[in-house]
């Protein structure tokens, strides 16, 4: 004798959400693996090869030639470090666009969110499951990339020309990177709930996160004068970004509660 449908336990929200957003999570995992592979390749192969070239030309007689020392802008370690740093620094915009569009805006626009709310899943629990399912892999991946980037850049800075005050080094070298990713997720959630349509929420979340990301550069630049050294500035900038992320998250929950009444 089977139990009535109403007596059956509701599926775990995070498990079902994991299946729903598996393609996006796989794309994020592929991005993390790609950047990890590039950083390891740069540190273990390209930078040592460039050091060997510099040493060879410094101590060899005139006319000496080492075949592996050909220059290419696409394999130059400094150029690639800068490119990876820029990509990581603006990855929060992509996270915001996905959060505003696919994670929340699409379900609110189609009405599937309201359907979930009628099946023993409250709006607050629905949003909490959405954010947690996304925040854990996003923050974990960002933290891993920050550790690898900081380790590689610190180990190879003798072969690089970028200063730690440049955004392409300052952002991906510490906890500011996962904090910015969480900010993008929170802004995307707020935009999705406010606009309730996929494309407008996607565009608004990406635009707001991009503006905030560019403005924050001006906010933490003065910190280089009251504060000295990488870590004091990095930690204070991270605290600023996490405060903004917390405010956006609280705003998303408050707006959802008001609209779900």
């Amino acid at each position: 004798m089977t139990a009535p449908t109403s007596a059956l336990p509701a599926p775990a929200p995070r498990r079902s959400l994991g299946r729903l957003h598996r393609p996006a999570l796989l794309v994020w995992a592929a991005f993390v693996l790609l950047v990890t592979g590039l950083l390891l390749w740069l540190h273990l192969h390209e930078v040592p090869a460039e050091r060997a070239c510099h040493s060879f030309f410094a101590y060899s007689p005139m006319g000496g030639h080492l075949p592996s020392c050909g220059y290419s802008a696409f394999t130059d370690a400094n150029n690639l470090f800068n490119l990876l740093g820029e990509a990581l620094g603006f990855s929060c915009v992509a996270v915001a666009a996905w959060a505003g569009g696919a994670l929340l805006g699409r379900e609110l626009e189609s009405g599937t969110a309201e359907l979930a709310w009628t099946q023993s899943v409250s709006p607050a629990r629905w949003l909490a499951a959405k954010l947690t399912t996304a925040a854990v892999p996003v923050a974990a991946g960002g933290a891993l990339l920050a550790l690898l980037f900081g380790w590689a850049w610190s180990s190879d800075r003798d072969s690089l020309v970028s200063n730690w005050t440049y955004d392409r080094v300052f952002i991906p070298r510490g906890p500011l990177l996962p904090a910015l990713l969480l900010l993008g997720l929170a802004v995307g959630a707020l935009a999705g709930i406010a606009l309730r349509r996929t494309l407008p929420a996607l565009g608004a979340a990406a635009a707001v996160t991009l503006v905030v990301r560019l403005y924050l550069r001006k906010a933490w630049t003065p910190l280089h004068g009251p504060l000295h050294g990488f870590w004091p500035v990095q930690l204070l900038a991270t605290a600023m970004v996490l405060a903004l992320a917390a405010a956006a998250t609280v705003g998303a929950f408050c707006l959802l509660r008001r609209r779900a009444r």
Side-chain angles (χ1 to χ4, degrees), residues 14 17 21 25 98-100 103-104 123-139 182-190 193 245-246 248-253 256:
R14 291 184 181 85
L17 287 173
H21 298 291
L25 296 177
W98 170 74
L103 185 66
L104 292 173
R125 187 185 175 198
W126 172 82
L127 179 56
K130 285 275 189 182
L131 292 179
T132 304
T133 302
V136 171
V138 163
L182 292 176
L183 174 62
L185 180 63
V187 171
L190 182 58
I193 293 171
T249 303
V250 171
F253 274 98
L256 179 65

Side-chain angles (χ1 to χ4, degrees), residues 99-196:
L103 185 66
L104 292 173
R106 184 171 59 191
E107 291 196 30
L108 290 169
E109 182 177 17
S110 64
T112 55
E114 286 82 354
L115 179 62
W117 301 343
T118 63
Q119 297 179 348
S120 72
V121 178
S122 67
R125 187 185 175 198
W126 172 82
L127 179 56
K130 285 275 189 182
L131 292 179
T132 304
T133 302
V136 171
V138 163
L144 173 63
L145 292 177
L147 287 172
L148 286 173
F149 189 94
W151 165 71
W153 190 88
S154 299
S155 302
D156 302 328
R157 60 183 307 177
D158 60 307
S159 301
L160 306 175
V161 297
S162 293
N163 191 281
W164 70 263
T165 59
Y166 297 162
D167 281 6
R168 57 180 175 263
V169 175
F170 181 72
I171 292 176
R173 230 188 110 193
L176 184 57
L177 176 59
L180 277 171
L181 294 173
L182 292 176
L183 174 62
L185 180 63
V187 171
L190 182 58
I193 293 171
L195 299 177
R196 302 174 69 90

Side-chain angles (χ1 to χ4, degrees), residues 75-97:
T75 59
D76 177 69
N78 190 72
N79 287 346
L80 288 175
F81 261 107
N82 290 338
L83 181 61
L84 289 175
E86 291 287 354
L88 292 174
F90 285 95
S91 58
C92 57
V93 179
V95 170

Side-chain angles (χ1 to χ4, degrees), residues 27-107:
V27 170
W28 172 245
F31 174 76
V32 172
L33 289 175
L34 175 63
V35 177
T36 297
L38 287 173
L39 287 172
L40 291 175
W41 174 72
L42 284 171
H43 176 69
L44 298 175
H45 177 270
E46 203 60 25
V47 171
E50 290 187 6
R51 286 196 187 104
C53 289
H54 295 157
S55 177
F56 176 82
F57 285 114
Y59 296 104
S60 65
M62 292 289 292
H65 177 67
L66 194 62
S68 62
C69 290
Y71 173 80
S72 170
F74 297 102
T75 59
D76 177 69
N78 190 72
N79 287 346
L80 288 175
F81 261 107
N82 290 338
L83 181 61
L84 289 175
E86 291 287 354
L88 292 174
F90 285 95
S91 58
C92 57
V93 179
V95 170
W98 170 74
L103 185 66
L104 292 173
R106 184 171 59 191
E107 291 196 30

Side-chain angles (χ1 to χ4, degrees), residues 88-89 91-93 95-96 138-139 167 170-172 174-188 208-221 223 232-250:
L88 292 174
S91 58
C92 57
V93 179
V95 170
V138 163
D167 281 6
F170 181 72
I171 292 176
L176 184 57
L177 176 59
L180 277 171
L181 294 173
L182 292 176
L183 174 62
L185 180 63
V187 171
V208 170
T209 304
L210 178 61
V211 170
V212 171
R213 158 68 183 83
L214 294 174
Y215 175 77
L216 284 174
R217 176 72 176 97
K218 298 180 180 180
W220 64 57
T221 297
L223 300 178
V233 182
Q234 172 81 193
L235 293 177
L236 188 54
T238 301
M240 293 166 53
V241 171
L242 288 177
L244 289 175
T249 303
V250 171

